[in-house]
Amino acid sequence: MLGMEESKVFGDVLENGIYTDPEYKKCGLLTCAETDIYSFGVIMLQVLSGTKIPHFDQDAKHTLLTKAKDVSTGKLPITEFEDPRLKGKLINREALKSILHIAVICVSERRIERPTINLVYAELNNIWMLMSNTSWPINIPPHV
């Protein structure tokens, strides 16, 4: 619909559930890069926490984002956020914290504070490289 560097103001803001950029909801400005990175951040948080949020459940999204921010700032331990299916597994919690931090930045309220997809890719790749030099994040070997 839009190129990566394009933006457009829409008169009628289309609500698409929990993945909607908060600034898009407020002013109708859709920017491909910043709006998509917000949605990606919400998906990352769901994957990390093992929580599936119903598509239009704003309260559940708010709870997930608040908990993620509290863990990212050290108010809560990472074990309060990680997917319960990871309990008892060998987990690289530092890598998990780093990925969580990236996801939290992606869901910043203001699009100017969100990273680009290139930066997100580079950071996730760095984390992967660090993990592969030490141990796997969970005890499942890679699929080659």
Side-chain angles (χ1 to χ4, degrees):
M1 191 164 115
L2 294 176
M4 287 304 286
E5 302 303 320
E6 292 180 286
S7 64
K8 180 172 172 56
V9 175
F10 291 90
D12 296 328
V13 176
L14 177 64
E15 172 64 47
N16 69 352
I18 63 167
Y19 305 103
T20 304
D21 174 355
E23 285 192 15
Y24 173 58
K25 286 182 192 178
K26 290 177 190 168
C27 62
L29 178 64
L30 180 67
T31 57
C32 189
E34 292 89 359
T35 299
D36 287 350
I37 205 69
Y38 181 87
S39 302
F40 181 71
V42 173
I43 291 167
M44 283 177 46
L45 292 176
Q46 289 181 88
V47 169
L48 292 172
S49 67
T51 304
K52 182 174 180 355
I53 301 174
H55 194 62
F56 287 99
D57 192 341
Q58 294 298 322
D59 291 336
K61 180 180 104 171
H62 177 73
T63 300
L64 180 70
L65 268 55
T66 300
K67 191 178 225 182
K69 289 174 185 173
D70 286 348
V71 170
S72 185
T73 59
K75 292 180 185 173
L76 289 173
I78 190 70
T79 54
E80 291 292 315
F81 193 80
E82 70 189 24
D83 186 333
R85 293 171 288 194
L86 295 177
K87 301 281 188 224
K89 307 268 189 216
L90 176 63
I91 300 169
N92 184 327
R93 287 211 166 78
E94 289 308 309
L96 195 60
K97 284 181 200 176
S98 297
I99 295 168
L100 175 66
H101 183 69
I102 293 166
V104 167
I105 294 170
C106 288
V107 296
S108 293
E109 286 286 316
R110 298 178 56 222
R111 67 175 44 110
I112 193 81
E113 296 171 356
R114 296 181 205 141
T116 64
I117 192 62
N118 291 335
L119 182 57
V120 170
Y121 172 79
E123 291 298 320
L124 291 174
N125 195 48
N126 287 340
I127 294 166
W128 178 255
M129 297 305 285
L130 289 171
M131 287 187 324
S132 62
N133 288 335
T134 55
S135 64
W136 292 101
I138 59 175
N139 59 3
I140 301 171
H143 229 1
V144 181

